[in-house]
Amino acid sequence: MRVSFVSDSDAWGGAEVWLSHHLRRAAGCGATASLVCAEPVADGFARFDVDRAVVPLTRHTAAAPATREALAAQRPDVVVVNLVDPASNGAAVDAALQVAPTAGVLHLVGDTRTGEERAALAARYRRMAAVISPSEEGRAQVVADLGVDPARAHVVPNGVDVPPDPAGPAGNAVPRIGAFGRLTAQKGFDVLLEALRRLDLPFDAVIGGAGRDGERLRADAAGLPVTLPGWVADARAFLAGVDLFVLSSRVEALPLTLLEAMAEGLPCVATDVGDVRRAVGEDAVVVPIEDAGALAGALRDLLADPAARADLGRRARARAERDLGADLMARRTFAVLAGVAAA
């Protein structure tokens, strides 16, 4: 089965990490992978030994002729298009549909428009052979709002590399709270900073990442024992330096950063976004979205109880080993794609 993946993104993020996991595992799942990627993320994919074409970014354009030509040259049985949100990447989807049966991977729920715009969006989605979402919420949205046949809407939970040598909590004398991601409103780091201001126990914190809200967040962190070191190139190295991981997002499906922290054996506190509660069970602390008080309370309880932190970290690692691996995710994804190719 020849599978062409399309990454029409303006910055590297979780969707590109998801794609990287599948490129590495394609051969083991009975597929030959190729890639068509937009110029802004091309360097991130350069390390993969696959047929790779670099094309202009078309996320907000009406047509993607270069994407269509590149896909046609790869002669895929199935095309997989990364979708940033429901209404994005339409030109790339249209280009893919002209070449081969197409599956869209919807990484985030979002605005599905209204009126004629929604009708046009629904028509595009109904032409896709499959839609894959990491969360039940995403699947429900495309079925309810865009009329996708429930039989063609699939949930494949995200997964990450589960290292054989988890770092575990760093053991800092003053516990270090860690978080990382794009410095945008979606990630809720402003809520995290407000929660940190309410803590009355010793801690320090590090928030990794880059994005348009970086300067504002640095200003908001004034007076707190918080550093914002910038882009995180090595997630494992970053996580090895912290004792407690926080996901403060407002919107997610099943965020890879949280799963990576659990795979390292870190105790985690996460907001109740997407399929987080379903995925982590009792093996992470889940708090309401945009509730700085609840987030502060969860952090305070764990900072005050080293034994509880250690136990939560051990349970997080066990959950990751059992349910959250990228191998399982890839097998499930390629099984969906095999069904598309067979049909």
Side-chain angles (χ1 to χ4, degrees), residues 177-229:
I177 297 167
F180 72 97
R182 291 188 307 277
L183 303 185
T184 63
Q186 176 205 337
K187 300 300 182 181
F189 293 132
D190 56 325
V191 181
L192 174 56
L193 290 174
E194 175 59 31
L196 295 178
R197 286 196 181 279
R198 302 184 185 198
L199 295 180
D200 51 8
L201 293 170
F203 75 92
D204 68 23
V206 56
I207 300 174
R212 58 180 173 271
D213 293 345
E215 291 307 311
R216 181 177 62 80
L217 290 169
R218 287 182 173 84
D220 290 348
L224 288 170
V226 175
T227 57
L228 286 88

Side-chain angles (χ1 to χ4, degrees), residues 157-174:
N158 279 337
V160 296
D161 291 324
V162 180
D165 55 342
N172 294 297
V174 175

Side-chain angles (χ1 to χ4, degrees), residues 2 4-5 34-36 51-53 69-76:
R2 298 187 303 275
S4 288
F5 291 90
S34 55
L35 173 67
V36 177
D51 181 0
R52 181 177 70 111
E69 291 172 11
L71 286 171
Q74 293 174 350
R75 301 178 60 200

Side-chain angles (χ1 to χ4, degrees), residues 33-93:
S34 55
L35 173 67
V36 177
C37 59
E39 292 167 345
V41 294
D43 288 349
F45 291 114
R47 65 186 184 276
F48 293 101
D49 184 20
V50 298
D51 181 0
R52 181 177 70 111
V54 180
V55 297
L57 178 71
T58 61
R59 182 177 170 187
H60 300 297
T61 64
T67 299
R68 182 186 58 76
E69 291 172 11
L71 286 171
Q74 293 174 350
R75 301 178 60 200
D77 299 307
V78 183
V79 179
V80 179
V81 181
N82 260 346
L83 303 170
V84 178
D85 58 56
S88 296
N89 312 106
V93 172

Side-chain angles (χ1 to χ4, degrees), residues 86-290:
S88 296
N89 312 106
V93 172
D94 291 344
L97 287 166
Q98 296 176 54
V99 175
T102 297
V105 181
L106 180 62
H107 291 277
L108 287 176
V109 298
D111 185 6
T112 51
R113 306 293 195 259
T114 59
E116 292 182 1
E117 287 185 312
R118 176 176 287 189
L121 187 61
R124 176 178 291 127
Y125 269 74
R126 287 197 295 269
R127 290 175 63 202
M128 284 192 274
V131 179
I132 298 171
S133 171
S135 71
E136 293 287 350
E137 182 182 21
R139 179 184 185 275
Q141 182 175 53
V142 299
V143 170
D145 291 1
L146 302 177
V148 173
D149 181 349
R152 294 190 292 107
H154 307 268
V155 175
V156 176
N158 279 337
V160 296
D161 291 324
V162 180
D165 55 342
N172 294 297
V174 175
R176 177 169 296 161
I177 297 167
F180 72 97
R182 291 188 307 277
L183 303 185
T184 63
Q186 176 205 337
K187 300 300 182 181
F189 293 132
D190 56 325
V191 181
L192 174 56
L193 290 174
E194 175 59 31
L196 295 178
R197 286 196 181 279
R198 302 184 185 198
L199 295 180
D200 51 8
L201 293 170
F203 75 92
D204 68 23
V206 56
I207 300 174
R212 58 180 173 271
D213 293 345
E215 291 307 311
R216 181 177 62 80
L217 290 169
R218 287 182 173 84
D220 290 348
L224 288 170
V226 175
T227 57
L228 286 88
W231 177 254
V232 174
D234 185 338
R236 289 206 70 194
F238 177 89
L239 293 170
V242 305
D243 300 283
L244 172 60
F245 183 81
V246 180
L247 177 95
S248 54
S249 296
R250 292 177 165 92
V251 179
E252 298 281 2
L254 184 55
L256 296 174
T257 55
L258 173 63
L259 307 188
E260 288 168 339
M262 294 179 71
E264 293 289 357
L266 288 172
C268 298
V269 177
T271 47
D272 193 5
V273 288
D275 270 18
V276 163
R277 187 179 294 277
R278 180 181 287 104
V280 305
E282 300 298 318
D283 300 324
V285 178
V286 181
V287 300
I289 301 166
E290 291 197 272

